[in-house]
């Protein structure tokens, strides 16, 4: 056999060998693509199941709606499989915590109902437990942090249960009324001043309404003076904090207005500050915990640099391009 024939045979062998390798690799790639496609479909199905299965007190729950909306958006996005798995785990962790807290609230409400039914009419602890029940039931549609806070505040048993029997709570109240040195009238005046104050952004503020209602119920109750003082102090502490947070919001809004007035039209920082301002304005009617969170998130200034001597159409010759040191609007990142 000639040398040329030998070389040709070797070339054919090499070509056949390479073709075999390529065929195997191609099959692997096809199988992997099919596997990834199956994984993607399974993840989408799981996301769909999570969004379609709604349980617990989910209606009128803003935090739940926000988390659910985020999951729906992520399901339709072009995120990677690992990112979508992370989104699923994040939603499940939040939702499981929500349902667990709602279960704890239901258990506590059932216990409170039992205590109320077991007490005689006029007993001091009836009012105590009625206030707990009202607070607990209002927590169902709150965010998880507030749920936990309300649950912690309303998990104690009435401290007066062993001090009174039957109508003794009512009798003690009558004895206090007959005491010339009884401070109850002064306390009632203090309560009335809080009820009639109407300071700050109190309208449409659910937490304020609930706290004020609790104070009004205390006024109408047969509580002892010491208990009334505790109720007044509790409301005063809440309301002072509310007004202080609202002042911080107003102060930050003034700073944002100043920043926006100093920026040229079309500057990306205007969008940044407008987003902050809209978030701050919504915070006025939120509970104090949410107010504090939003105040903390909106303290930072716009990360985009701006030189007052340069404008969008100025130092760049009016070409409509952003200055080379400027972050383009499509790179805009929210402060949240």
């Amino acid at each position: 056999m000639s040398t040329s024939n030998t070389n040709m045979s070797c070339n054919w062998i090499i070509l056949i060998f390479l073709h075999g390798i390529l065929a195997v690799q191609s099959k692997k790639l096809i199988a992997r693509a099919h596997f990834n496609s199956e994984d993607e479909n399974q993840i989408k199905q799981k996301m769909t199941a999570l969004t379609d299965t709604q349980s617990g007190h989910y209606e009128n729950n803003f935090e739940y709606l926000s988390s659910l909306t985020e999951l729906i958006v992520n399901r339709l996005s072009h995120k990677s499989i690992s990112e979508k798995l992370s989104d699923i785990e994040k939603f499940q962790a939040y939702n499981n915590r929500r349902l667990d807290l709602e279960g704890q609230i239901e258990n506590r409400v059932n216990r409170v109902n039992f205590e109320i039914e077991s007490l005689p009419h006029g007993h001091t602890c009836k009012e105590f437990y009625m206030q707990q029940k009202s607070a607990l039931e209002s927590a169902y549609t709150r965010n998880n942090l507030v749920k936990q806070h309300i649950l912690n505040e309303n998990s104690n048993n009435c401290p007066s249960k062993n001090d009174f029997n039957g109508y003794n709570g009512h009798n003690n109240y009558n004895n206090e009324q007959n005491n010339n040195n009884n401070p109850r009238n002064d306390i009632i005046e203090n309560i009335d001043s809080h009820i009639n104050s109407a300071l700050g952004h109190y309208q449409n503020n659910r937490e304020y309404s609930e706290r004020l209602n609790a104070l009004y119920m205390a006024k109408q109750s047969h509580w002892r003076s010491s208990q009334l003082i505790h109720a007044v102090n509790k409301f005063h502490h809440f309301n002072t904090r509310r007004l202080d947070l609202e002042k911080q919001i107003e102060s930050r809004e003034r700073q944002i207005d100043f920043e926006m007035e100093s920026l040229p039209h079309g500057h990306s920082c205007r969008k940044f500050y407008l987003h902050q301002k809209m978030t701050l304005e919504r915070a006025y009617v939120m509970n104090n915990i949410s107010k504090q969170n939003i105040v903390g998130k909106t303290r930072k200034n716009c990360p985009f640099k701006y030189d007052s001597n340069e404008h969008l159409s100025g130092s760049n010759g009016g070409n409509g391009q952003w200055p080379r040191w400027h972050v383009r609007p499509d790179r805009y990142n929210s402060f949240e």
Side-chain angles (χ1 to χ4, degrees):
M1 182 181 292
S2 64
T3 304
S4 61
N5 289 336
T6 303
N7 291 338
M8 186 177 295
S9 298
C10 289
N11 289 338
W12 275 108
I13 292 170
I14 292 170
L15 286 173
I16 292 170
F17 178 74
L18 291 175
H19 181 268
I21 293 175
L22 289 174
V24 171
Q25 291 297 326
S26 178
K27 287 181 179 179
K28 285 183 178 179
L29 289 172
I30 292 171
R32 186 177 300 171
H34 181 68
F35 178 78
N36 288 340
S37 178
E38 286 184 344
D39 278 357
E40 178 73 19
N41 289 335
Q42 288 176 1
I43 290 170
K44 284 186 177 180
Q45 288 173 4
K46 189 168 186 178
M47 284 181 157
T48 301
L50 288 172
T51 56
D52 291 345
T53 305
Q54 298 175 321
S55 56
H57 299 267
Y58 62 90
E59 293 183 343
N60 300 318
N61 185 328
F62 178 79
E63 186 180 42
Y64 174 83
L65 179 62
S66 177
S67 298
L68 186 69
T69 302
E70 183 180 357
L71 186 67
I72 293 172
V73 171
N74 292 335
R75 177 171 63 87
L76 301 174
S77 71
H78 297 291
K79 283 186 172 183
S80 66
I81 292 175
S82 61
E83 287 176 320
K84 288 187 176 181
L85 283 172
S86 177
D87 294 330
I88 290 173
E89 291 172 358
K90 179 183 175 182
F91 178 81
Q92 285 181 316
Y94 154 74
N95 204 39
N96 290 339
R97 179 59 176 160
R98 175 181 70 87
L99 295 172
D100 177 63
L101 287 168
E102 289 177 7
Q104 293 182 50
I105 292 170
E106 289 172 354
N107 291 337
R108 181 58 187 167
V109 168
N110 291 335
R111 178 64 184 178
V112 166
N113 285 334
F114 172 79
E115 294 290 347
I116 291 172
E117 292 172 1
S118 65
L119 291 168
H121 179 71
H123 197 289
T124 308
C125 285
K126 270 190 174 290
E127 192 67 26
F128 177 90
Y129 285 122
M130 286 296 293
Q131 290 189 47
Q132 276 200 351
K133 183 180 179 180
S134 177
L136 288 163
E137 289 179 340
S138 72
Y140 281 126
T141 57
R142 303 294 190 85
N143 63 56
N144 285 355
L145 191 62
V146 176
K147 276 187 176 74
Q148 184 65 72
H149 178 70
I150 291 177
L151 193 59
N152 292 341
E153 280 197 332
N154 295 277
S155 293
N156 297 324
N157 292 327
C158 179
S160 305
K161 185 175 181 181
N162 298 324
D163 297 337
F164 299 95
N165 189 10
Y167 293 89
N168 284 349
H170 179 69
N171 293 336
N172 268 19
Y173 162 67
N174 288 335
N175 291 336
E176 284 184 9
Q177 285 287 73
N178 295 328
N179 186 349
N180 292 331
N181 296 322
N182 174 41
R184 186 179 179 86
N185 290 336
D186 292 336
I187 299 171
I188 295 299
E189 281 187 28
N190 196 343
I191 291 176
D192 286 336
S193 67
H194 281 295
I195 292 174
N196 298 323
S197 63
L199 299 174
H201 299 264
Y202 65 93
Q203 293 182 331
N204 300 320
N205 186 324
R206 185 173 177 179
E207 185 181 33
Y208 175 84
S209 298
E210 289 171 355
R211 299 272 187 160
L212 194 68
N213 184 58
L215 190 62
Y216 181 79
M217 289 173 65
K219 174 187 173 182
Q220 301 298 320
S221 71
H222 295 158
W223 285 6
R224 293 179 297 176
S225 296
S226 58
Q227 292 172 300
L228 290 175
I229 291 172
H230 175 72
V232 172
N233 289 339
K234 188 175 180 180
F235 179 84
H236 179 72
H237 176 76
F238 152 76
N239 208 37
T240 300
R241 181 60 177 157
R242 176 181 69 88
L243 294 171
D244 176 66
L245 287 168
E246 289 178 5
K247 286 181 180 178
Q248 293 183 45
I249 293 171
E250 290 170 353
S251 176
R252 180 57 183 163
E253 282 187 316
R254 287 193 294 270
Q255 291 176 358
I256 289 173
D257 288 339
F258 172 80
E259 294 290 343
M260 290 183 67
E261 289 173 1
S262 65
L263 292 169
H265 179 72
H267 196 284
S268 46
C269 280
R270 294 183 71 88
K271 183 177 179 181
F272 178 91
Y273 285 125
L274 183 61
H275 186 194
Q276 279 197 347
K277 188 170 183 179
M278 290 173 63
T279 303
L280 287 163
E281 287 176 347
R282 289 196 297 266
Y284 280 121
V285 296
M286 294 183 180
N287 61 58
N288 284 358
I289 294 175
S290 298
K291 279 187 176 73
Q292 181 62 68
N293 289 338
I294 289 175
V295 166
K297 286 181 178 180
T298 55
R299 278 178 181 157
K300 62 174 68 174
N301 291 325
C302 179
F304 310 135
K305 301 295 184 182
Y306 174 68
D307 185 344
S308 60
N309 294 322
E310 296 192 63
H311 294 274
L312 179 60
S313 58
S315 61
N316 291 291
N319 59 7
Q321 298 294 318
W322 292 98
R324 57 184 175 79
W325 40 261
H326 200 291
V327 180
R328 300 194 334 263
D330 59 348
R331 301 296 185 187
Y332 169 80
N333 291 318
S334 168
F335 62 87
E336 295 184 334

